């Protein structure tokens, strides 16, 4: 198990905020945490230092994320443009932003926080 006190202070996105990994906390009642009730999509980003990263096959990844969310009946919390802006903002907030622009993002969406019960 990782001691969260030793996580790097890298940016992440959580429910509209941009905390860092070492300070981020999720509710123990998040259905993704309890039941794995969520989906994720990984997207690679490539570029050159000083230039914004290019999101690799962004439209295809967003189509798969939307399809996965639809199949699990989880509402998509963002539009494609909002997902794109989140990815670019995370890159801009990264402490090594000036040295690299190759990134990999995991967009994770859960059903959210609810009292522990099995029905969705």
């Amino acid at each position: 198990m990782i001691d969260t006190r030793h996580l790097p202070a890298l940016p992440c996105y959580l429910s509209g905020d941009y905390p860092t990994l070492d300070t981020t906390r999720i509710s123990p009642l998040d259905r993704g945490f309890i039941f794995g009730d969520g989906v994720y999509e990984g997207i690679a980003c490539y570029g050159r230092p000083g230039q914004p990263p290019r999101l690799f096959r962004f439209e295809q990844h967003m189509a798969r994320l939307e399809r996965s969310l639809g199949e699990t009946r989880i509402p998509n919390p963002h539009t494609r443009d909002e997902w794109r802006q989140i990815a670019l903002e995370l890159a801009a907030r990264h402490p090594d932003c000036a040295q690299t622009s190759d990134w990999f993002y995991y967009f994770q969406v859960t059903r959210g926080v609810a009292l522990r019960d099995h029905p969705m």
Side-chain angles (χ1 to χ4, degrees), residues 54-90:
R54 292 183 325 270
L55 300 165
F56 182 72
R57 295 192 177 194
F58 180 78
E59 293 300 320
Q60 291 92 333
H61 283 288
M62 287 296 101
R64 184 166 53 188
L65 177 65
E66 291 163 356
R67 190 170 54 251
S68 297
L69 289 169
E71 290 292 325
T72 55
R73 294 180 284 165
I74 297 174
N76 190 340
H78 301 292
T79 66
R80 288 185 182 191
D81 189 52
E82 289 170 336
W83 283 118
R84 182 187 315 276
Q85 292 309 312
I86 290 167
L88 296 176
E89 181 66 26
L90 286 168

PDB file of all heavy atoms in Angstrom, residues 54-90:
ATOM      1  N   ARG A  54      -0.831  17.186 -28.036  1.00  0.00           N
ATOM      2  CA  ARG A  54      -1.876  16.720 -28.951  1.00  0.00           C
ATOM      3  C   ARG A  54      -2.493  15.473 -28.331  1.00  0.00           C
ATOM      4  O   ARG A  54      -1.790  14.519 -28.017  1.00  0.00           O
ATOM      5  CB  ARG A  54      -1.283  16.386 -30.318  1.00  0.00           C
ATOM      6  CG  ARG A  54      -0.769  17.608 -31.065  1.00  0.00           C
ATOM      7  CD  ARG A  54      -0.243  17.263 -32.453  1.00  0.00           C
ATOM      8  NE  ARG A  54       0.430  15.980 -32.572  1.00  0.00           N
ATOM      9  CZ  ARG A  54       1.736  15.786 -32.390  1.00  0.00           C
ATOM     10  NH1 ARG A  54       2.530  16.786 -32.079  1.00  0.00           N
ATOM     11  NH2 ARG A  54       2.269  14.594 -32.541  1.00  0.00           N
ATOM     12  N   LEU A  55      -3.784  15.507 -28.165  1.00  0.00           N
ATOM     13  CA  LEU A  55      -4.489  14.385 -27.553  1.00  0.00           C
ATOM     14  C   LEU A  55      -4.683  13.295 -28.610  1.00  0.00           C
ATOM     15  O   LEU A  55      -5.376  13.502 -29.595  1.00  0.00           O
ATOM     16  CB  LEU A  55      -5.822  14.858 -26.987  1.00  0.00           C
ATOM     17  CG  LEU A  55      -5.681  15.939 -25.911  1.00  0.00           C
ATOM     18  CD1 LEU A  55      -7.021  16.616 -25.661  1.00  0.00           C
ATOM     19  CD2 LEU A  55      -5.123  15.351 -24.635  1.00  0.00           C
ATOM     20  N   PHE A  56      -4.040  12.157 -28.418  1.00  0.00           N
ATOM     21  CA  PHE A  56      -4.022  11.078 -29.399  1.00  0.00           C
ATOM     22  C   PHE A  56      -5.415  10.460 -29.556  1.00  0.00           C
ATOM     23  O   PHE A  56      -5.994   9.957 -28.605  1.00  0.00           O
ATOM     24  CB  PHE A  56      -3.015  10.013 -28.976  1.00  0.00           C
ATOM     25  CG  PHE A  56      -2.883   8.881 -29.942  1.00  0.00           C
ATOM     26  CD1 PHE A  56      -2.241   9.064 -31.162  1.00  0.00           C
ATOM     27  CD2 PHE A  56      -3.406   7.644 -29.642  1.00  0.00           C
ATOM     28  CE1 PHE A  56      -2.116   8.024 -32.059  1.00  0.00           C
ATOM     29  CE2 PHE A  56      -3.287   6.592 -30.536  1.00  0.00           C
ATOM     30  CZ  PHE A  56      -2.641   6.779 -31.745  1.00  0.00           C
ATOM     31  N   ARG A  57      -5.936  10.531 -30.783  1.00  0.00           N
ATOM     32  CA  ARG A  57      -7.239   9.950 -31.133  1.00  0.00           C
ATOM     33  C   ARG A  57      -8.322  10.336 -30.124  1.00  0.00           C
ATOM     34  O   ARG A  57      -9.110   9.500 -29.670  1.00  0.00           O
ATOM     35  CB  ARG A  57      -7.130   8.443 -31.284  1.00  0.00           C
ATOM     36  CG  ARG A  57      -6.244   8.048 -32.439  1.00  0.00           C
ATOM     37  CD  ARG A  57      -6.353   6.612 -32.760  1.00  0.00           C
ATOM     38  NE  ARG A  57      -5.525   6.337 -33.928  1.00  0.00           N
ATOM     39  CZ  ARG A  57      -5.594   5.244 -34.621  1.00  0.00           C
ATOM     40  NH1 ARG A  57      -6.453   4.293 -34.295  1.00  0.00           N
ATOM     41  NH2 ARG A  57      -4.805   5.062 -35.658  1.00  0.00           N
ATOM     42  N   PHE A  58      -8.329  11.612 -29.805  1.00  0.00           N
ATOM     43  CA  PHE A  58      -9.241  12.119 -28.790  1.00  0.00           C
ATOM     44  C   PHE A  58     -10.698  11.780 -29.090  1.00  0.00           C
ATOM     45  O   PHE A  58     -11.429  11.321 -28.210  1.00  0.00           O
ATOM     46  CB  PHE A  58      -9.064  13.639 -28.640  1.00  0.00           C
ATOM     47  CG  PHE A  58      -9.953  14.251 -27.611  1.00  0.00           C
ATOM     48  CD1 PHE A  58      -9.648  14.134 -26.265  1.00  0.00           C
ATOM     49  CD2 PHE A  58     -11.098  14.937 -27.975  1.00  0.00           C
ATOM     50  CE1 PHE A  58     -10.470  14.689 -25.299  1.00  0.00           C
ATOM     51  CE2 PHE A  58     -11.925  15.499 -27.017  1.00  0.00           C
ATOM     52  CZ  PHE A  58     -11.612  15.367 -25.679  1.00  0.00           C
ATOM     53  N   GLU A  59     -11.137  11.989 -30.315  1.00  0.00           N
ATOM     54  CA  GLU A  59     -12.536  11.741 -30.661  1.00  0.00           C
ATOM     55  C   GLU A  59     -12.906  10.269 -30.469  1.00  0.00           C
ATOM     56  O   GLU A  59     -13.987   9.955 -29.956  1.00  0.00           O
ATOM     57  CB  GLU A  59     -12.834  12.197 -32.094  1.00  0.00           C
ATOM     58  CG  GLU A  59     -12.761  13.704 -32.282  1.00  0.00           C
ATOM     59  CD  GLU A  59     -13.748  14.475 -31.419  1.00  0.00           C
ATOM     60  OE1 GLU A  59     -14.900  14.023 -31.256  1.00  0.00           O
ATOM     61  OE2 GLU A  59     -13.368  15.542 -30.896  1.00  0.00           O
ATOM     62  N   GLN A  60     -12.013   9.365 -30.858  1.00  0.00           N
ATOM     63  CA  GLN A  60     -12.276   7.941 -30.689  1.00  0.00           C
ATOM     64  C   GLN A  60     -12.329   7.562 -29.204  1.00  0.00           C
ATOM     65  O   GLN A  60     -13.177   6.766 -28.775  1.00  0.00           O
ATOM     66  CB  GLN A  60     -11.224   7.086 -31.410  1.00  0.00           C
ATOM     67  CG  GLN A  60     -11.310   7.177 -32.911  1.00  0.00           C
ATOM     68  CD  GLN A  60     -10.420   8.272 -33.486  1.00  0.00           C
ATOM     69  OE1 GLN A  60     -10.106   9.270 -32.834  1.00  0.00           O
ATOM     70  NE2 GLN A  60     -10.018   8.105 -34.734  1.00  0.00           N
ATOM     71  N   HIS A  61     -11.417   8.133 -28.411  1.00  0.00           N
ATOM     72  CA  HIS A  61     -11.426   7.851 -26.980  1.00  0.00           C
ATOM     73  C   HIS A  61     -12.696   8.395 -26.319  1.00  0.00           C
ATOM     74  O   HIS A  61     -13.284   7.739 -25.453  1.00  0.00           O
ATOM     75  CB  HIS A  61     -10.186   8.440 -26.309  1.00  0.00           C
ATOM     76  CG  HIS A  61      -8.955   7.639 -26.545  1.00  0.00           C
ATOM     77  ND1 HIS A  61      -8.739   6.411 -25.953  1.00  0.00           N
ATOM     78  CD2 HIS A  61      -7.866   7.892 -27.297  1.00  0.00           C
ATOM     79  CE1 HIS A  61      -7.570   5.936 -26.339  1.00  0.00           C
ATOM     80  NE2 HIS A  61      -7.014   6.819 -27.165  1.00  0.00           N
ATOM     81  N   MET A  62     -13.118   9.570 -26.727  1.00  0.00           N
ATOM     82  CA  MET A  62     -14.339  10.148 -26.158  1.00  0.00           C
ATOM     83  C   MET A  62     -15.559   9.328 -26.562  1.00  0.00           C
ATOM     84  O   MET A  62     -16.475   9.130 -25.759  1.00  0.00           O
ATOM     85  CB  MET A  62     -14.500  11.603 -26.589  1.00  0.00           C
ATOM     86  CG  MET A  62     -13.543  12.553 -25.901  1.00  0.00           C
ATOM     87  SD  MET A  62     -13.792  12.661 -24.109  1.00  0.00           S
ATOM     88  CE  MET A  62     -12.471  11.603 -23.504  1.00  0.00           C
ATOM     89  N   ALA A  63     -15.573   8.822 -27.793  1.00  0.00           N
ATOM     90  CA  ALA A  63     -16.689   7.975 -28.232  1.00  0.00           C
ATOM     91  C   ALA A  63     -16.758   6.712 -27.367  1.00  0.00           C
ATOM     92  O   ALA A  63     -17.848   6.293 -26.949  1.00  0.00           O
ATOM     93  CB  ALA A  63     -16.538   7.613 -29.706  1.00  0.00           C
ATOM     94  N   ARG A  64     -15.602   6.118 -27.065  1.00  0.00           N
ATOM     95  CA  ARG A  64     -15.591   4.913 -26.224  1.00  0.00           C
ATOM     96  C   ARG A  64     -16.011   5.242 -24.790  1.00  0.00           C
ATOM     97  O   ARG A  64     -16.753   4.492 -24.174  1.00  0.00           O
ATOM     98  CB  ARG A  64     -14.214   4.244 -26.253  1.00  0.00           C
ATOM     99  CG  ARG A  64     -14.207   2.943 -25.484  1.00  0.00           C
ATOM    100  CD  ARG A  64     -13.009   2.099 -25.735  1.00  0.00           C
ATOM    101  NE  ARG A  64     -11.769   2.812 -25.521  1.00  0.00           N
ATOM    102  CZ  ARG A  64     -10.582   2.323 -25.835  1.00  0.00           C
ATOM    103  NH1 ARG A  64     -10.474   1.130 -26.395  1.00  0.00           N
ATOM    104  NH2 ARG A  64      -9.491   3.014 -25.600  1.00  0.00           N
ATOM    105  N   LEU A  65     -15.534   6.377 -24.251  1.00  0.00           N
ATOM    106  CA  LEU A  65     -15.939   6.784 -22.914  1.00  0.00           C
ATOM    107  C   LEU A  65     -17.459   6.986 -22.866  1.00  0.00           C
ATOM    108  O   LEU A  65     -18.131   6.502 -21.952  1.00  0.00           O
ATOM    109  CB  LEU A  65     -15.216   8.064 -22.495  1.00  0.00           C
ATOM    110  CG  LEU A  65     -15.612   8.635 -21.130  1.00  0.00           C
ATOM    111  CD1 LEU A  65     -15.232   7.683 -20.001  1.00  0.00           C
ATOM    112  CD2 LEU A  65     -14.956   9.996 -20.920  1.00  0.00           C
ATOM    113  N   GLU A  66     -18.001   7.683 -23.855  1.00  0.00           N
ATOM    114  CA  GLU A  66     -19.446   7.923 -23.904  1.00  0.00           C
ATOM    115  C   GLU A  66     -20.220   6.608 -24.009  1.00  0.00           C
ATOM    116  O   GLU A  66     -21.256   6.426 -23.362  1.00  0.00           O
ATOM    117  CB  GLU A  66     -19.785   8.846 -25.068  1.00  0.00           C
ATOM    118  CG  GLU A  66     -19.283  10.257 -24.845  1.00  0.00           C
ATOM    119  CD  GLU A  66     -19.223  11.104 -26.111  1.00  0.00           C
ATOM    120  OE1 GLU A  66     -19.497  10.576 -27.222  1.00  0.00           O
ATOM    121  OE2 GLU A  66     -18.877  12.288 -25.996  1.00  0.00           O
ATOM    122  N   ARG A  67     -19.716   5.680 -24.814  1.00  0.00           N
ATOM    123  CA  ARG A  67     -20.363   4.378 -24.964  1.00  0.00           C
ATOM    124  C   ARG A  67     -20.326   3.603 -23.641  1.00  0.00           C
ATOM    125  O   ARG A  67     -21.330   3.032 -23.211  1.00  0.00           O
ATOM    126  CB  ARG A  67     -19.680   3.595 -26.090  1.00  0.00           C
ATOM    127  CG  ARG A  67     -20.381   2.341 -26.518  1.00  0.00           C
ATOM    128  CD  ARG A  67     -19.790   1.750 -27.797  1.00  0.00           C
ATOM    129  NE  ARG A  67     -18.357   1.515 -27.735  1.00  0.00           N
ATOM    130  CZ  ARG A  67     -17.424   2.223 -28.403  1.00  0.00           C
ATOM    131  NH1 ARG A  67     -17.794   3.212 -29.188  1.00  0.00           N
ATOM    132  NH2 ARG A  67     -16.145   1.942 -28.301  1.00  0.00           N
ATOM    133  N   SER A  68     -19.180   3.614 -22.973  1.00  0.00           N
ATOM    134  CA  SER A  68     -19.047   2.912 -21.690  1.00  0.00           C
ATOM    135  C   SER A  68     -19.969   3.514 -20.634  1.00  0.00           C
ATOM    136  O   SER A  68     -20.617   2.787 -19.875  1.00  0.00           O
ATOM    137  CB  SER A  68     -17.600   2.972 -21.198  1.00  0.00           C
ATOM    138  OG  SER A  68     -16.738   2.311 -22.093  1.00  0.00           O
ATOM    139  N   LEU A  69     -20.010   4.832 -20.577  1.00  0.00           N
ATOM    140  CA  LEU A  69     -20.904   5.494 -19.623  1.00  0.00           C
ATOM    141  C   LEU A  69     -22.360   5.167 -19.937  1.00  0.00           C
ATOM    142  O   LEU A  69     -23.154   4.907 -19.024  1.00  0.00           O
ATOM    143  CB  LEU A  69     -20.668   7.006 -19.633  1.00  0.00           C
ATOM    144  CG  LEU A  69     -19.349   7.468 -19.017  1.00  0.00           C
ATOM    145  CD1 LEU A  69     -19.103   8.941 -19.318  1.00  0.00           C
ATOM    146  CD2 LEU A  69     -19.310   7.197 -17.520  1.00  0.00           C
ATOM    147  N   GLY A  70     -22.709   5.149 -21.210  1.00  0.00           N
ATOM    148  CA  GLY A  70     -24.072   4.808 -21.600  1.00  0.00           C
ATOM    149  C   GLY A  70     -24.441   3.387 -21.205  1.00  0.00           C
ATOM    150  O   GLY A  70     -25.536   3.134 -20.714  1.00  0.00           O
ATOM    151  N   GLU A  71     -23.518   2.452 -21.408  1.00  0.00           N
ATOM    152  CA  GLU A  71     -23.776   1.049 -21.068  1.00  0.00           C
ATOM    153  C   GLU A  71     -23.952   0.847 -19.570  1.00  0.00           C
ATOM    154  O   GLU A  71     -24.699  -0.033 -19.138  1.00  0.00           O
ATOM    155  CB  GLU A  71     -22.655   0.148 -21.592  1.00  0.00           C
ATOM    156  CG  GLU A  71     -22.624   0.006 -23.097  1.00  0.00           C
ATOM    157  CD  GLU A  71     -23.820  -0.754 -23.637  1.00  0.00           C
ATOM    158  OE1 GLU A  71     -24.304  -1.697 -22.968  1.00  0.00           O
ATOM    159  OE2 GLU A  71     -24.287  -0.404 -24.731  1.00  0.00           O
ATOM    160  N   THR A  72     -23.264   1.629 -18.766  1.00  0.00           N
ATOM    161  CA  THR A  72     -23.372   1.506 -17.311  1.00  0.00           C
ATOM    162  C   THR A  72     -24.398   2.472 -16.726  1.00  0.00           C
ATOM    163  O   THR A  72     -24.591   2.516 -15.519  1.00  0.00           O
ATOM    164  CB  THR A  72     -22.004   1.740 -16.640  1.00  0.00           C
ATOM    165  OG1 THR A  72     -21.491   3.002 -17.054  1.00  0.00           O
ATOM    166  CG2 THR A  72     -21.034   0.628 -16.980  1.00  0.00           C
ATOM    167  N   ARG A  73     -25.030   3.257 -17.606  1.00  0.00           N
ATOM    168  CA  ARG A  73     -26.046   4.239 -17.213  1.00  0.00           C
ATOM    169  C   ARG A  73     -25.506   5.247 -16.201  1.00  0.00           C
ATOM    170  O   ARG A  73     -26.176   5.614 -15.247  1.00  0.00           O
ATOM    171  CB  ARG A  73     -27.308   3.546 -16.700  1.00  0.00           C
ATOM    172  CG  ARG A  73     -28.016   2.767 -17.808  1.00  0.00           C
ATOM    173  CD  ARG A  73     -29.248   2.099 -17.326  1.00  0.00           C
ATOM    174  NE  ARG A  73     -28.822   0.917 -16.562  1.00  0.00           N
ATOM    175  CZ  ARG A  73     -29.607   0.235 -15.747  1.00  0.00           C
ATOM    176  NH1 ARG A  73     -30.851   0.603 -15.582  1.00  0.00           N
ATOM    177  NH2 ARG A  73     -29.161  -0.812 -15.107  1.00  0.00           N
ATOM    178  N   ILE A  74     -24.273   5.698 -16.437  1.00  0.00           N
ATOM    179  CA  ILE A  74     -23.672   6.754 -15.643  1.00  0.00           C
ATOM    180  C   ILE A  74     -23.670   8.013 -16.500  1.00  0.00           C
ATOM    181  O   ILE A  74     -23.164   7.991 -17.624  1.00  0.00           O
ATOM    182  CB  ILE A  74     -22.230   6.401 -15.216  1.00  0.00           C
ATOM    183  CG1 ILE A  74     -22.230   5.174 -14.309  1.00  0.00           C
ATOM    184  CG2 ILE A  74     -21.563   7.585 -14.519  1.00  0.00           C
ATOM    185  CD1 ILE A  74     -20.840   4.663 -13.948  1.00  0.00           C
ATOM    186  N   PRO A  75     -24.225   9.107 -16.011  1.00  0.00           N
ATOM    187  CA  PRO A  75     -24.224  10.339 -16.799  1.00  0.00           C
ATOM    188  C   PRO A  75     -22.805  10.848 -17.045  1.00  0.00           C
ATOM    189  O   PRO A  75     -21.954  10.789 -16.156  1.00  0.00           O
ATOM    190  CB  PRO A  75     -25.003  11.331 -15.926  1.00  0.00           C
ATOM    191  CG  PRO A  75     -25.735  10.510 -14.922  1.00  0.00           C
ATOM    192  CD  PRO A  75     -24.942   9.253 -14.737  1.00  0.00           C
ATOM    193  N   ASN A  76     -22.567  11.321 -18.245  1.00  0.00           N
ATOM    194  CA  ASN A  76     -21.268  11.915 -18.573  1.00  0.00           C
ATOM    195  C   ASN A  76     -21.241  13.319 -17.950  1.00  0.00           C
ATOM    196  O   ASN A  76     -22.065  14.156 -18.299  1.00  0.00           O
ATOM    197  CB  ASN A  76     -21.096  11.997 -20.091  1.00  0.00           C
ATOM    198  CG  ASN A  76     -19.689  12.364 -20.499  1.00  0.00           C
ATOM    199  OD1 ASN A  76     -18.922  12.914 -19.707  1.00  0.00           O
ATOM    200  ND2 ASN A  76     -19.345  12.072 -21.734  1.00  0.00           N
ATOM    201  N   PRO A  77     -20.289  13.578 -17.048  1.00  0.00           N
ATOM    202  CA  PRO A  77     -20.291  14.875 -16.371  1.00  0.00           C
ATOM    203  C   PRO A  77     -19.758  16.024 -17.218  1.00  0.00           C
ATOM    204  O   PRO A  77     -19.862  17.184 -16.816  1.00  0.00           O
ATOM    205  CB  PRO A  77     -19.380  14.634 -15.167  1.00  0.00           C
ATOM    206  CG  PRO A  77     -18.441  13.568 -15.626  1.00  0.00           C
ATOM    207  CD  PRO A  77     -19.251  12.696 -16.550  1.00  0.00           C
ATOM    208  N   HIS A  78     -19.176  15.713 -18.391  1.00  0.00           N
ATOM    209  CA  HIS A  78     -18.554  16.761 -19.205  1.00  0.00           C
ATOM    210  C   HIS A  78     -18.826  16.561 -20.686  1.00  0.00           C
ATOM    211  O   HIS A  78     -19.025  15.440 -21.146  1.00  0.00           O
ATOM    212  CB  HIS A  78     -17.032  16.773 -18.994  1.00  0.00           C
ATOM    213  CG  HIS A  78     -16.638  17.006 -17.584  1.00  0.00           C
ATOM    214  ND1 HIS A  78     -16.828  18.201 -16.936  1.00  0.00           N
ATOM    215  CD2 HIS A  78     -16.057  16.193 -16.676  1.00  0.00           C
ATOM    216  CE1 HIS A  78     -16.394  18.113 -15.701  1.00  0.00           C
ATOM    217  NE2 HIS A  78     -15.929  16.904 -15.508  1.00  0.00           N
ATOM    218  N   THR A  79     -18.781  17.644 -21.416  1.00  0.00           N
ATOM    219  CA  THR A  79     -18.810  17.577 -22.874  1.00  0.00           C
ATOM    220  C   THR A  79     -17.416  17.197 -23.351  1.00  0.00           C
ATOM    221  O   THR A  79     -16.440  17.253 -22.582  1.00  0.00           O
ATOM    222  CB  THR A  79     -19.196  18.937 -23.478  1.00  0.00           C
ATOM    223  OG1 THR A  79     -18.146  19.877 -23.177  1.00  0.00           O
ATOM    224  CG2 THR A  79     -20.527  19.433 -22.948  1.00  0.00           C
ATOM    225  N   ARG A  80     -17.295  16.857 -24.613  1.00  0.00           N
ATOM    226  CA  ARG A  80     -15.969  16.543 -25.163  1.00  0.00           C
ATOM    227  C   ARG A  80     -15.022  17.720 -25.033  1.00  0.00           C
ATOM    228  O   ARG A  80     -13.853  17.553 -24.702  1.00  0.00           O
ATOM    229  CB  ARG A  80     -16.073  16.116 -26.629  1.00  0.00           C
ATOM    230  CG  ARG A  80     -16.677  14.745 -26.792  1.00  0.00           C
ATOM    231  CD  ARG A  80     -16.663  14.293 -28.229  1.00  0.00           C
ATOM    232  NE  ARG A  80     -17.306  12.988 -28.339  1.00  0.00           N
ATOM    233  CZ  ARG A  80     -17.269  12.238 -29.407  1.00  0.00           C
ATOM    234  NH1 ARG A  80     -16.616  12.658 -30.483  1.00  0.00           N
ATOM    235  NH2 ARG A  80     -17.863  11.064 -29.428  1.00  0.00           N
ATOM    236  N   ASP A  81     -15.523  18.914 -25.272  1.00  0.00           N
ATOM    237  CA  ASP A  81     -14.661  20.093 -25.154  1.00  0.00           C
ATOM    238  C   ASP A  81     -14.212  20.292 -23.715  1.00  0.00           C
ATOM    239  O   ASP A  81     -13.062  20.655 -23.467  1.00  0.00           O
ATOM    240  CB  ASP A  81     -15.376  21.342 -25.670  1.00  0.00           C
ATOM    241  CG  ASP A  81     -14.429  22.524 -25.762  1.00  0.00           C
ATOM    242  OD1 ASP A  81     -13.349  22.376 -26.388  1.00  0.00           O
ATOM    243  OD2 ASP A  81     -14.743  23.584 -25.181  1.00  0.00           O
ATOM    244  N   GLU A  82     -15.087  20.034 -22.754  1.00  0.00           N
ATOM    245  CA  GLU A  82     -14.697  20.155 -21.342  1.00  0.00           C
ATOM    246  C   GLU A  82     -13.633  19.125 -20.983  1.00  0.00           C
ATOM    247  O   GLU A  82     -12.670  19.441 -20.279  1.00  0.00           O
ATOM    248  CB  GLU A  82     -15.916  20.012 -20.437  1.00  0.00           C
ATOM    249  CG  GLU A  82     -16.855  21.198 -20.509  1.00  0.00           C
ATOM    250  CD  GLU A  82     -18.180  20.970 -19.819  1.00  0.00           C
ATOM    251  OE1 GLU A  82     -18.602  19.802 -19.658  1.00  0.00           O
ATOM    252  OE2 GLU A  82     -18.814  21.975 -19.443  1.00  0.00           O
ATOM    253  N   TRP A  83     -13.778  17.875 -21.465  1.00  0.00           N
ATOM    254  CA  TRP A  83     -12.745  16.860 -21.226  1.00  0.00           C
ATOM    255  C   TRP A  83     -11.408  17.323 -21.819  1.00  0.00           C
ATOM    256  O   TRP A  83     -10.357  17.177 -21.192  1.00  0.00           O
ATOM    257  CB  TRP A  83     -13.141  15.519 -21.833  1.00  0.00           C
ATOM    258  CG  TRP A  83     -14.154  14.735 -21.058  1.00  0.00           C
ATOM    259  CD1 TRP A  83     -15.398  14.373 -21.486  1.00  0.00           C
ATOM    260  CD2 TRP A  83     -14.014  14.198 -19.745  1.00  0.00           C
ATOM    261  NE1 TRP A  83     -16.032  13.651 -20.506  1.00  0.00           N
ATOM    262  CE2 TRP A  83     -15.214  13.522 -19.430  1.00  0.00           C
ATOM    263  CE3 TRP A  83     -12.991  14.218 -18.802  1.00  0.00           C
ATOM    264  CZ2 TRP A  83     -15.416  12.864 -18.215  1.00  0.00           C
ATOM    265  CZ3 TRP A  83     -13.199  13.566 -17.586  1.00  0.00           C
ATOM    266  CH2 TRP A  83     -14.384  12.904 -17.304  1.00  0.00           C
ATOM    267  N   ARG A  84     -11.456  17.877 -23.013  1.00  0.00           N
ATOM    268  CA  ARG A  84     -10.229  18.367 -23.662  1.00  0.00           C
ATOM    269  C   ARG A  84      -9.587  19.469 -22.816  1.00  0.00           C
ATOM    270  O   ARG A  84      -8.380  19.465 -22.578  1.00  0.00           O
ATOM    271  CB  ARG A  84     -10.540  18.887 -25.064  1.00  0.00           C
ATOM    272  CG  ARG A  84      -9.317  19.368 -25.838  1.00  0.00           C
ATOM    273  CD  ARG A  84      -9.689  20.039 -27.161  1.00  0.00           C
ATOM    274  NE  ARG A  84     -10.692  19.331 -27.927  1.00  0.00           N
ATOM    275  CZ  ARG A  84     -10.458  18.322 -28.759  1.00  0.00           C
ATOM    276  NH1 ARG A  84      -9.226  17.886 -28.932  1.00  0.00           N
ATOM    277  NH2 ARG A  84     -11.442  17.745 -29.428  1.00  0.00           N
ATOM    278  N   GLN A  85     -10.399  20.400 -22.337  1.00  0.00           N
ATOM    279  CA  GLN A  85      -9.865  21.506 -21.530  1.00  0.00           C
ATOM    280  C   GLN A  85      -9.283  21.007 -20.207  1.00  0.00           C
ATOM    281  O   GLN A  85      -8.269  21.527 -19.739  1.00  0.00           O
ATOM    282  CB  GLN A  85     -10.953  22.560 -21.287  1.00  0.00           C
ATOM    283  CG  GLN A  85     -11.363  23.301 -22.545  1.00  0.00           C
ATOM    284  CD  GLN A  85     -10.161  23.867 -23.298  1.00  0.00           C
ATOM    285  OE1 GLN A  85      -9.298  24.503 -22.719  1.00  0.00           O
ATOM    286  NE2 GLN A  85     -10.104  23.605 -24.596  1.00  0.00           N
ATOM    287  N   ILE A  86      -9.905  20.010 -19.604  1.00  0.00           N
ATOM    288  CA  ILE A  86      -9.375  19.428 -18.366  1.00  0.00           C
ATOM    289  C   ILE A  86      -7.996  18.832 -18.630  1.00  0.00           C
ATOM    290  O   ILE A  86      -7.054  19.059 -17.869  1.00  0.00           O
ATOM    291  CB  ILE A  86     -10.345  18.374 -17.799  1.00  0.00           C
ATOM    292  CG1 ILE A  86     -11.597  19.062 -17.270  1.00  0.00           C
ATOM    293  CG2 ILE A  86      -9.669  17.536 -16.716  1.00  0.00           C
ATOM    294  CD1 ILE A  86     -12.753  18.109 -16.971  1.00  0.00           C
ATOM    295  N   ALA A  87      -7.857  18.072 -19.715  1.00  0.00           N
ATOM    296  CA  ALA A  87      -6.564  17.463 -20.047  1.00  0.00           C
ATOM    297  C   ALA A  87      -5.498  18.524 -20.268  1.00  0.00           C
ATOM    298  O   ALA A  87      -4.373  18.415 -19.760  1.00  0.00           O
ATOM    299  CB  ALA A  87      -6.701  16.577 -21.287  1.00  0.00           C
ATOM    300  N   LEU A  88      -5.819  19.556 -21.004  1.00  0.00           N
ATOM    301  CA  LEU A  88      -4.842  20.612 -21.284  1.00  0.00           C
ATOM    302  C   LEU A  88      -4.501  21.399 -20.022  1.00  0.00           C
ATOM    303  O   LEU A  88      -3.342  21.789 -19.814  1.00  0.00           O
ATOM    304  CB  LEU A  88      -5.360  21.524 -22.386  1.00  0.00           C
ATOM    305  CG  LEU A  88      -5.546  20.850 -23.748  1.00  0.00           C
ATOM    306  CD1 LEU A  88      -6.161  21.820 -24.748  1.00  0.00           C
ATOM    307  CD2 LEU A  88      -4.242  20.263 -24.261  1.00  0.00           C
ATOM    308  N   GLU A  89      -5.483  21.595 -19.150  1.00  0.00           N
ATOM    309  CA  GLU A  89      -5.227  22.298 -17.886  1.00  0.00           C
ATOM    310  C   GLU A  89      -4.324  21.473 -16.976  1.00  0.00           C
ATOM    311  O   GLU A  89      -3.424  22.005 -16.318  1.00  0.00           O
ATOM    312  CB  GLU A  89      -6.546  22.621 -17.181  1.00  0.00           C
ATOM    313  CG  GLU A  89      -6.384  23.368 -15.877  1.00  0.00           C
ATOM    314  CD  GLU A  89      -5.808  24.770 -16.041  1.00  0.00           C
ATOM    315  OE1 GLU A  89      -5.964  25.367 -17.116  1.00  0.00           O
ATOM    316  OE2 GLU A  89      -5.204  25.263 -15.068  1.00  0.00           O
ATOM    317  N   LEU A  90      -4.537  20.164 -16.939  1.00  0.00           N
ATOM    318  CA  LEU A  90      -3.666  19.301 -16.139  1.00  0.00           C
ATOM    319  C   LEU A  90      -2.226  19.364 -16.630  1.00  0.00           C
ATOM    320  O   LEU A  90      -1.286  19.430 -15.835  1.00  0.00           O
ATOM    321  CB  LEU A  90      -4.175  17.859 -16.156  1.00  0.00           C
ATOM    322  CG  LEU A  90      -5.418  17.596 -15.322  1.00  0.00           C
ATOM    323  CD1 LEU A  90      -5.984  16.223 -15.644  1.00  0.00           C
ATOM    324  CD2 LEU A  90      -5.108  17.729 -13.838  1.00  0.00           C
TER     325      LEU A  90
END
